[in-house]
Amino acid sequence: MLASPPPALHLESSIRFVKERLSRQRTAICGLNFHIDAAELAQIEAARDRGQSLYLSARFLSDLRAYILFPRWGTAPPTLTFSTYYYASAEVGGEPLVRSSIAIDGDVLHQICDRCLADPELALSLTGAHYWLIDQLLSRLRLEAQAALDRLTRSLAIAIFLICALSQFPQWRQLNWLSMLGSALLTWGLPKLARPLLARIWPQIQRWLLRQILNGLLSNRDRLRRLALALLSRLDY
Amino acid sequence: MANRNNTTAITAAERTEIELSDRTRDPFNNFIRSLGDVLVDITALEVNTMVVERITGDKFNPWETYRDVYMVDRAYLEQRNVHPSLHNQYLSLRRTLELDYALLCADANSSLFNPAMLHNPAERQVLTNPDLEISAATTHLPDPLHPTDADSLRIIQQLLDSSQFLRNLRKVGELKACLDNRDRSLARMEQAHPGSSSQAIVREVRTDMIYAQTVIQLDGDIINRYSQEILDHPHRELILQIHTESVASGERQWRGLLGFVVNLVQDALERGSQAVALLRSAR
């Protein structure tokens, strides 16, 4: 029997985007902060050792993609900054101890706070956790086209079933078993037939959709950008 | 020759017009062009590990950074009592910015192309003289402190709109922020130990400097550089261990970021010829 993968680590409340308000309606993401305490640090180390992944919601991933594709300064190439805040106790903490700045042109700058070095064990744990969190985020950026295709065919099957069921609603008292059987067969078979066809035309649909999304995402109009973000999150999962 | 210059000028003007219309009409193509600029310039992955006294903010404001670096020259550093051990590093950052501007002005494909940069010896000094010290008399960067008219403001905006210039400006800004922090630490240390020599103070302040740098070139060469100060650092082994981890994770993370953007563009374009043609047209 195959062992199931370990459950994903949930740290939603510890990972926060740094947002800057540009106007009443517009905000821009200018960084990502990890706020962790000793217990979460231990959880991250255990997750890394067990090969667990970090849970990331579709909405979060969509915001992360927007952070990369829509930089605060329009023409500036994407540069991501990640800072780790460590809270040794409820009273201590509140300042970043590790920071990474990763530019798409290949410039990577890692900064570590001097006072962190006084405790070498903590320094290594903290930098290890910081790098693991960034790894988890950046390795999950790619869109899952296959998942979107599966979802589309599933939705198609449900839609066909509902259409068949509703079309027969008036005659439910005099059920025609033969037509019910036909509908069931159609519900079961059509998605199976449609899948190879969709798989063939899906790249074209996806390409068109992606272009529209990117145009919306990179547009200066806020409504378009919001719509693009919503569509981008639907493309995944 | 005049004819050739004319042709180039028209091309540059046309290019500006196309870029402006693209920006408003097709943000996707504009994004592709700026990405193309970045991809063409990638020659190596550079990972730096720095020990800092305090990690400062994330926000990058191109105008502020440009203005603050523009002001730097020897007179400014002396007037602000910046520690003498940092003067050369500040001046080197200022020269980097001047050089980036000169390269843009010498590039016939740039909207900032200025033939004078190639033909006038005074203007091309920064390209030919590695020891040139930038001052108010030798700078050719547009002045953000006293813009004379709308046209000079437009040139600065155009400069800050160039993805190539912005990329370098961001890096220069990060390094200047570290120098500023180091200068503050040195000043504090001098106040705390008034009798100590300048060299002793410099040795004692161990923060806000790059201790280790690894450059992984696309042809496979790997270059490691270490600051001389790391030899005396009490946590030398720890810093080196952190740097080794930084390099391994930095490479993975950069690949993740680059892979996502390039794949997204490939998926959105017809794979192959169109993608290549658009990326090439970025240059």
Side-chain angles (χ1 to χ4, degrees):
Chain A
M1 202 173 96
L2 282 172
S4 57
L9 177 66
H10 283 258
L11 286 176
E12 289 95 313
S13 60
S14 307
I15 304 175
R16 299 174 210 159
F17 284 105
V18 184
K19 291 183 177 171
E20 185 185 351
R21 184 168 286 282
L22 304 179
S23 66
R24 199 178 286 177
Q25 279 120 14
R26 283 186 63 194
T27 52
I29 298 171
C30 47
L32 238 167
N33 289 345
F34 309 129
H35 297 265
I36 55 176
D37 58 21
E40 284 160 338
L41 183 59
Q43 280 178 14
I44 291 170
E45 288 185 309
R48 190 183 51 191
D49 295 344
R50 285 200 293 260
Q52 269 178 282
S53 60
L54 181 70
Y55 171 77
L56 299 168
S57 68
R59 175 72 194 271
F60 181 90
L61 279 170
S62 150
D63 279 354
L64 184 61
R65 290 179 189 124
Y67 174 32
I68 297 166
L69 297 171
F70 177 56
R72 163 74 178 85
W73 301 97
T75 52
T79 298
L80 310 183
T81 55
F82 304 90
S83 303
T84 292
Y85 290 68
Y86 181 65
Y87 301 83
S89 66
E91 296 80 31
V92 183
E95 275 190 44
L97 294 182
V98 191
R99 179 177 182 261
S100 295
S101 153
I102 303 164
I104 197 164
D105 60 352
D107 265 338
V108 179
L109 177 66
H110 292 298
Q111 292 175 313
I112 180 157
C113 233
D114 184 43
R115 62 179 183 282
C116 214
L117 300 177
D119 182 347
E121 203 180 320
L122 177 67
L124 287 173
S125 296
L126 215 52
T127 47
H130 175 83
Y131 297 147
W132 183 79
L133 288 169
I134 302 174
D135 280 356
Q136 289 290 311
L137 300 181
L138 297 187
S139 64
R140 302 272 296 285
L141 286 170
R142 287 182 66 171
L143 296 169
E144 304 283 343
Q146 197 55 42
L149 179 59
D150 289 343
R151 202 179 53 242
L152 189 69
T153 47
R154 263 201 314 275
S155 309
L156 200 64
I158 293 167
I160 291 168
F161 177 77
L162 286 175
I163 290 167
C164 289
L166 288 173
S167 68
Q168 297 200 4
F169 179 69
Q171 298 98 39
W172 270 12
R173 289 190 178 177
Q174 306 102 32
L175 273 178
N176 180 346
W177 291 105
L178 201 63
S179 86
M180 274 303 281
L181 187 67
S183 301
L185 276 173
L186 198 66
T187 308
W188 175 78
L190 202 61
K192 293 213 179 301
L193 289 172
R195 204 180 186 291
L197 182 71
L198 274 174
R200 185 161 293 191
I201 59 168
W202 180 245
Q204 276 88 18
I205 298 173
Q206 194 200 17
R207 189 177 305 141
W208 177 83
L209 196 63
L210 213 49
R211 272 195 82 123
Q212 303 313 309
I213 290 172
L214 284 173
N215 266 330
L217 198 68
L218 300 164
S219 145
N220 283 326
R221 279 177 290 174
D222 248 25
R223 274 182 63 189
L224 260 180
R225 203 176 287 152
R226 275 200 295 274
L227 180 67
L229 272 174
L231 280 170
L232 199 63
S233 65
R234 296 288 179 279
L235 258 184
D236 219 355
Y237 286 97
Chain B
M1 191 68 191
N3 197 12
R4 195 174 165 184
N5 281 343
N6 241 351
T7 315
T8 315
I10 290 166
T11 313
E14 279 173 353
R15 189 182 160 86
T16 311
E17 198 179 312
I18 291 164
E19 278 173 1
L20 285 173
S21 74
D22 274 352
R23 197 160 299 142
T24 48
R25 264 189 306 189
D26 193 349
F28 176 66
N29 275 348
N30 195 37
F31 175 75
I32 298 285
R33 284 210 172 84
S34 113
L35 181 68
D37 274 338
V38 177
L39 296 184
V40 166
D41 285 346
I42 293 175
T43 52
L45 170 70
E46 183 182 304
V47 182
N48 291 293
T49 299
M50 182 181 260
V51 176
V52 296
E53 190 190 2
R54 176 167 294 176
I55 286 169
T56 45
D58 291 323
K59 289 173 191 163
F60 165 66
N61 183 322
W63 182 279
E64 271 179 27
T65 309
Y66 177 68
R67 185 198 58 202
D68 294 351
V69 180
Y70 176 88
M71 289 195 285
V72 172
D73 63 11
R74 200 169 287 278
Y76 170 85
L77 295 172
E78 278 163 9
Q79 185 198 334
R80 297 285 295 256
N81 283 327
V82 171
H83 198 273
S85 68
L86 303 177
H87 282 200
N88 284 343
Q89 293 175 64
Y90 271 108
L91 292 172
S92 161
L93 288 183
R94 177 65 178 81
R95 197 165 46 240
T96 303
L97 215 59
E98 194 80 25
L99 187 64
D100 289 340
Y101 177 65
L103 287 170
L104 271 178
C105 291
D107 180 0
N109 288 320
S110 160
S111 59
L112 287 157
F113 176 60
N114 176 11
M117 183 53 73
L118 297 174
H119 305 301
N120 183 345
E123 295 212 21
R124 62 166 191 248
Q125 259 195 102
V126 67
L127 295 174
T128 52
N129 180 1
D131 301 320
L132 178 72
E133 187 168 314
I134 306 298
S135 65
T138 54
T139 186
H140 287 97
L141 275 177
D143 184 353
L145 304 169
H146 315 97
T148 46
D149 50 18
D151 209 38
S152 53
L153 272 176
R154 189 185 54 79
I155 293 176
I156 300 176
Q157 287 295 357
Q158 225 173 331
L159 184 62
L160 297 182
D161 229 16
S162 151
S163 69
Q164 192 184 338
F165 191 79
L166 270 184
R167 213 159 63 228
N168 295 333
L169 182 65
R170 183 193 283 275
K171 191 175 177 185
V172 164
E174 291 248 15
L175 295 174
K176 182 180 176 291
C178 291
L179 287 180
D180 292 345
N181 287 338
R182 184 162 173 80
D183 183 48
R184 276 192 285 272
S185 302
L186 288 165
R188 267 200 310 274
M189 188 66 86
E190 270 185 341
Q191 266 187 349
H193 304 92
S196 304
S197 72
S198 181
Q199 279 180 331
I201 296 283
V202 170
R203 263 202 311 276
E204 213 43 50
V205 176
R206 297 198 174 96
T207 55
D208 296 291
M209 54 195 306
I210 293 172
Y211 276 107
Q213 180 186 74
T214 297
V215 178
I216 304 172
Q217 289 180 342
L218 291 189
D219 60 9
D221 280 353
I222 298 177
I223 302 159
N224 287 307
R225 293 193 189 99
Y226 300 100
S227 140
Q228 199 181 349
E229 285 81 357
I230 201 169
L231 299 173
D232 304 323
H233 201 288
H235 301 295
R236 186 183 59 196
E237 294 306 320
L238 180 61
I239 295 172
L240 290 176
Q241 199 176 339
I242 290 173
H243 179 67
T244 308
E245 224 181 298
S246 296
V247 173
S249 63
E251 191 188 0
R252 266 197 317 272
Q253 292 154 3
W254 177 66
R255 275 180 204 281
L257 177 62
L258 190 68
F260 162 65
V261 177
V262 170
N263 275 300
L264 194 69
V265 170
Q266 270 190 337
D267 285 345
L269 295 169
E270 280 179 45
R271 278 181 192 277
S273 56
Q274 196 187 342
V276 173
L278 261 169
L279 287 174
R280 274 195 188 144
S281 75
R283 296 298 291 166

